[in-house]
Amino acid sequence: MLGLEGLQALIEALAARGHDVIGPVERDGAIIYDHIAGIADLPTGRTDRQEAGSYRLENRSDDALFGYAVGPQSWKRYLHRPIETLFRVRRVGEELAFDPPRDQAGRTAFIGVRSCELAAIAIQDRVLQGGRYVNTEYGARRAQTFLVAVNCGDPSATCFCTSMDTGPRAGGGYDIALTELLDGRHEFLAEPGTDAGAALLAYLPTRPANEADWQAAHDVTDRAAANMKRHMPGKGLKEALQDNPEHARWDDVARRCLACANCTLVCPTCFCTTIEDRSDLDGQGAERVRRWDSCFTRDFSYVHGGSVRTQTRSRYRQWMTHKLAHWWDQFGSSGCVGCGRCIAWCPVGIDITAEAAAFVEGQE
Ligand code: SF4
Ligand code: SF4
């Protein structure tokens, strides 16, 4: 068991071992992930209220440090960067000199990774490192990342991890997992998931967990699971989507969808990128960058002379059928981990669970 001073010692120990420590902080009305030096930087006594198309922060009646669900950012921005310079090229006389990117991967520690986010990182590991074409920049960062998970006690109304089998309790993929206990005390049950996690915990001020501590920790995640309000239909969904490319629901959702791409940018598993070349105005240098792209943009499907998905209907269909159906064929899992971000951050409140339900109900 770790007390508050133990959590502070954990953050300091990671920093002392050369990690850039990133954790949840409150910024501009939302909880995002940024550099932290200690527990004073965490959003104390704050929680989020999320619904389709809405997100706001409120005070809690206690001093919980992790009393909220996921915000608009995911850890994706630190592992699979929004913009990545692949190389720079300079004119040197009559020759060209190629420079590697300046941004080299360093040791990083993530504090407060939720169970759905561990699942999302595992999916990105599979997509970006597990196949024939490896994203070396992602791999270099991932190899140096220490993960401190926090089990969820307060899911938002947009969460549906239970139906995706990704939470609210972390099942693996972390170095240390914490459960925040606020039942008349403020402590954390800390579980090591790797040798590195165990070694770090051995160095911190802890006391052994007793049976009551374990029960209290399980009660936290059991309550969270019982409070989950949304669910993704499972049975028959893949087939219902793959068998219905002309379903009337695609027209229905296209009338509401703005093709703004918010859902893909907030999604912790969406991985698509494009490559751009940028040249200096003086003609002496250029750089090649990779940046996040979205299947909701017209240019995303541009093929020799035109876009093959000119309508919002076909772009939404591409996104949802890839995420919930074709992903199984391609990567052996769903592309959705049930974090609910695309529901809260859709400006018109389109809810992927409701859209999916419309297809499954249509099959019955
Ligand atoms: S599709 Fe939506 S709910 Fe599923 S992982 Fe992506 S953002 Fe989260
Ligand atoms: S579903 Fe919502 S967030 Fe996604 S592109 Fe359409 S309007 Fe934007």
Side-chain angles (χ1 to χ4, degrees):
M1 298 293 296
L2 280 177
L4 289 174
E5 70 292 344
L7 182 60
Q8 176 69 27
L10 168 64
I11 295 169
E12 289 174 2
L14 286 164
R17 285 161 171 73
H19 290 88
D20 184 10
V21 185
I22 313 285
V25 297
E26 183 173 340
R27 184 90 26 91
D28 298 329
I31 292 172
I32 62 162
Y33 300 131
D34 208 343
H35 308 277
I36 59 168
I39 59 175
D41 293 326
L42 300 171
T44 308
R46 299 289 271 163
T47 193
D48 49 19
R49 292 278 170 259
Q50 303 194 47
E51 256 306 342
S54 114
Y55 175 102
R56 70 174 190 277
L57 295 180
E58 292 179 354
N59 288 330
R60 291 172 59 96
S61 58
D62 57 29
D63 287 334
L65 297 176
F66 298 97
Y68 38 83
V70 295
Q73 288 182 351
S74 70
W75 303 100
K76 175 171 88 170
R77 69 177 287 104
Y78 288 101
L79 292 169
H80 181 41
R81 294 268 173 92
I83 295 185
E84 183 115 60
T85 301
L86 300 178
F87 63 80
R88 277 192 61 79
V89 57
R90 288 175 290 119
R91 215 187 269 280
V92 183
E94 295 300 308
E95 304 288 321
L96 293 178
F98 287 83
D99 300 325
R102 293 183 202 113
D103 179 19
Q104 299 297 326
R107 303 183 93 188
T108 307
F110 296 164
I111 308 290
V113 185
R114 305 305 180 142
S115 181
C116 63
E117 301 186 298
L118 290 170
I121 291 171
I123 285 176
Q124 292 225 316
D125 287 351
R126 165 75 185 84
V127 172
L128 299 173
Q129 302 189 101
R132 197 162 153 199
Y133 304 103
V134 171
N135 181 322
T136 51
E137 293 78 19
Y138 177 93
R141 291 196 187 101
R142 185 70 181 90
Q144 300 187 74
T145 303
F146 189 96
L147 297 176
V148 178
V150 170
N151 288 319
C152 278
D154 279 298
S156 81
T158 45
C159 294
F160 56 98
C161 62
T162 46
S163 52
M164 306 312 291
D165 203 20
T166 56
R169 185 174 176 75
Y174 54 78
D175 292 291
I176 295 173
L178 304 175
T179 308
E180 186 169 27
L181 302 177
L182 293 148
D183 48 350
R185 37 121 172 224
H186 201 169
E187 283 188 295
F188 297 85
L189 184 120
E191 301 169 66
T194 59
D195 290 345
L200 188 55
L201 283 176
Y203 165 86
L204 299 176
T206 57
R207 69 166 177 84
N210 58 36
E211 205 171 308
D213 296 325
W214 282 103
Q215 187 57 54
H218 279 280
D219 287 349
V220 166
T221 45
D222 287 350
R223 262 198 318 272
N227 287 336
M228 206 73 58
K229 294 191 174 66
R230 275 184 164 75
H231 299 278
M232 176 68 82
K235 194 164 175 287
L237 177 60
K238 177 177 183 290
E239 296 72 21
L241 291 170
Q242 289 180 329
D243 294 348
N244 285 291
E246 302 303 329
H247 197 290
R249 187 75 180 195
W250 300 125
D251 294 310
D252 182 278
V253 72
R255 280 192 285 275
R256 290 171 279 138
C257 176
L258 307 173
C260 68
N262 263 18
C263 47
T264 54
L265 299 180
V266 296
C267 181
T269 68
C270 278
F271 55 82
C272 288
T273 53
T274 189
I275 301 288
E276 289 176 350
D277 289 338
R278 301 168 175 180
S279 49
D280 297 343
L281 287 176
D282 62 5
Q284 295 305 304
E287 64 177 5
R288 174 161 292 179
V289 301
R290 180 174 58 213
R291 67 163 176 80
W292 290 355
D293 202 351
S294 169
C295 51
F296 279 94
T297 67
R298 178 183 288 257
D299 282 354
F300 184 81
S301 63
Y302 184 95
V303 182
H304 61 79
S307 170
V308 298
R309 292 192 205 107
T310 55
Q311 300 171 330
T312 301
R313 172 188 193 271
S314 54
R315 291 183 221 161
Y316 191 90
R317 181 178 60 194
Q318 157 63 26
W319 179 66
M320 196 162 112
T321 52
H322 185 216
K323 187 123 311 230
L324 301 177
H326 304 320
W327 207 293
W328 284 100
D329 300 325
Q330 205 176 356
F331 303 117
S333 75
S334 172
C336 175
V337 296
C339 73
R341 285 184 176 94
C342 60
I343 302 172
W345 295 95
C346 174
V348 292
I350 293 173
D351 176 348
I352 190 171
T353 63
E355 298 310 314
F359 282 84
V360 175
E361 283 155 17
Q363 292 288 292
E364 290 167 354

